[in-house]
């Protein structure tokens, strides 16, 4: 009988600590979940940008997942930076082998400074191998445009994009609206039938590094605790809002958010 929820992150390492594995584990811990990791790549980066990306061998990624899952298990898992098609296929195989049901896919593609974190040739593998295994996929609008081939400029476009991504096999799609203009940020959750909107005030700040990782980690943590999906999305939304609002103001570029943010 497990007394604590367990969550696994499968993602890249951010040497600056604001995104990737580091952000995920900090968020898991803050939300009362035991965090485990499978590192897909090592990045050399800080708040000013990504200086280097060094993917791990595919077998190293798969072996990390296999050893964690066969011993400790996981109540939920998330993916972040996967980098290439071979890693995506290996991750998908391990997810299927372990019968992981609560998988959050954060389709990390490009860093804020413009560095590619997913090779172009890996996009098809992401769509065909991983999205059909996802309980939730959490694209921002540039990522959604890449997955769908659509131009997304309005909330109606977001709904159409969500339908298109759902058709790729993901059970639920959370479209993040932070890239749209306006004083209010609107996110849209689609479960294949109904749309559910969440909105919050836009915070004017450059300290937004790792927001996608942190949000998806908070969502994964709540799903690991068996929080129902809508409530988990709402909690993750409150967490990232608080994390941005109380960012520690570190670095000379896009600084990290506050991973010890407190929400109810």
């Amino acid at each position: 009988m497990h007394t604590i929820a367990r969550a696994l992150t499968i993602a890249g390492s951010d040497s600056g600590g604001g995104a990737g594995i580091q952000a995920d584990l900090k968020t898991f811990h803050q939300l009362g979940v035991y965090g485990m990791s499978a590192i897909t790549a090592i990045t050399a980066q800080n708040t000013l940008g990504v200086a280097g990306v060094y993917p791990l061998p595919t077998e190293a990624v798969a072996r990390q997942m296999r050893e964690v899952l066969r011993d400790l298990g996981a109540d939920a898992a998330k993916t972040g930076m996967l980098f290439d098609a071979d890693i995506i296929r290996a991750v998908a195989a391990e997810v299927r082998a372990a019968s992981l049901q609560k998988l959050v896919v954060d389709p990390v593609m490009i860093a804020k400074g413009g560095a590619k974190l997913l090779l172009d040739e890996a996009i098809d593998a992401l769509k065909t191998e991983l999205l059909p295994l996802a309980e939730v996929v959490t694209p921002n609008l540039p990522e959604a445009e890449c997955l769908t081939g659509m131009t997304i400029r309005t909330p109606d476009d977001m709904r159409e994009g969500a339908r298109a991504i759902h058709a790729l096999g993901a059970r639920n799609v959370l479209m993040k609206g932070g890239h749209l203009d306006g004083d209010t940020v609107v996110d849209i959750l689609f479960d294949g039938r109904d749309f559910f909107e969440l909105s919050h005030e836009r915070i004017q700040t450059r300290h937004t590094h790792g927001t996608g990782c942190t949000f998806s980690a908070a969502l994964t943590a709540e799903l690991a605790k068996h929080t129902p999906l809508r409530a988990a999305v709402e909690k993750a939304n409150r967490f990232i809002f608080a994390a941005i609002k109380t960012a520690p103001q570190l670095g000379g570029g896009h600084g990290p958010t506050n991973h010890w943010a407190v929400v109810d």
Side-chain angles (χ1 to χ4, degrees):
M1 188 75 178
H2 297 289
T3 58
I4 187 169
R6 304 151 297 163
L8 170 64
T9 171
I10 307 145
S13 168
D14 172 5
S15 55
I21 290 285
Q22 288 83 348
D24 294 345
L25 292 177
K26 292 174 190 177
T27 302
F28 291 166
H29 183 81
Q30 182 66 8
L31 294 176
V33 171
Y34 181 78
M36 302 160 289
S37 64
I39 298 174
T40 59
I42 295 169
T43 67
Q45 64 176 290
N46 55 29
T47 68
L48 300 174
V50 178
V53 177
Y54 309 94
L56 268 66
T58 302
E59 176 55 27
V61 178
R63 191 65 181 269
Q64 289 174 84
M65 292 180 63
R66 197 176 310 141
E67 295 303 317
V68 166
L69 292 169
R70 75 182 183 91
D71 178 36
L72 293 103
D75 298 295
K78 64 155 287 190
T79 63
M81 174 188 175
L82 298 176
F83 191 68
D84 65 29
D86 286 343
I87 290 176
I88 289 171
R89 285 190 283 266
V91 168
E94 295 301 326
V95 168
R96 288 191 293 266
S99 299
L100 274 174
Q101 298 301 308
K102 295 179 181 178
L103 179 68
V104 176
V105 174
D106 181 14
V108 175
M109 295 181 179
I110 301 173
K112 278 191 170 58
K116 278 188 177 294
L117 303 180
L118 181 72
L119 298 181
D120 290 341
E121 56 266 32
I123 294 171
D124 281 345
L126 179 69
K127 291 161 68 171
T128 60
E129 294 281 340
L130 206 56
L131 291 192
L133 302 176
E135 176 67 20
V136 192
V137 57
T138 62
N140 61 30
L141 298 191
E143 291 161 352
E145 290 182 334
C146 188
L147 290 172
T148 63
M150 298 171 56
T151 298
I152 301 175
R153 296 291 181 270
T154 68
D156 283 343
D157 292 343
M158 290 172 66
R159 294 183 188 91
E160 288 306 308
R163 288 191 180 97
I165 294 172
H166 184 269
L168 295 172
R171 290 186 286 280
N172 300 276
V173 181
L174 181 69
M175 299 283 282
K176 298 179 297 188
H179 285 79
L180 294 186
D181 294 332
D183 295 330
T184 301
V185 176
V186 178
D187 300 330
I188 298 177
L189 175 66
F190 181 56
D191 64 6
R193 186 183 66 179
D194 298 320
F195 291 97
F196 174 62
E197 293 190 8
L198 303 93
S199 62
H200 59 77
E201 167 197 355
R202 184 183 300 278
I203 300 168
Q204 299 298 334
T205 178
R206 62 181 170 84
H207 296 286
T208 57
H209 178 56
T211 50
C213 302
T214 302
F215 174 84
S216 58
L219 177 56
T220 304
E222 289 304 309
L223 293 177
K225 294 187 287 189
H226 307 295
T227 304
L229 178 59
R230 281 195 183 184
V233 169
E234 290 173 331
K235 178 71 171 285
N237 201 280
R238 293 196 302 275
F239 184 83
I240 192 58
F241 180 79
I244 296 171
K245 192 171 185 178
T246 60
Q249 311 292 311
L250 296 174
H254 294 290
T257 65
N258 173 14
H259 294 109
W260 58 94
V262 176
V263 295
D264 57 12

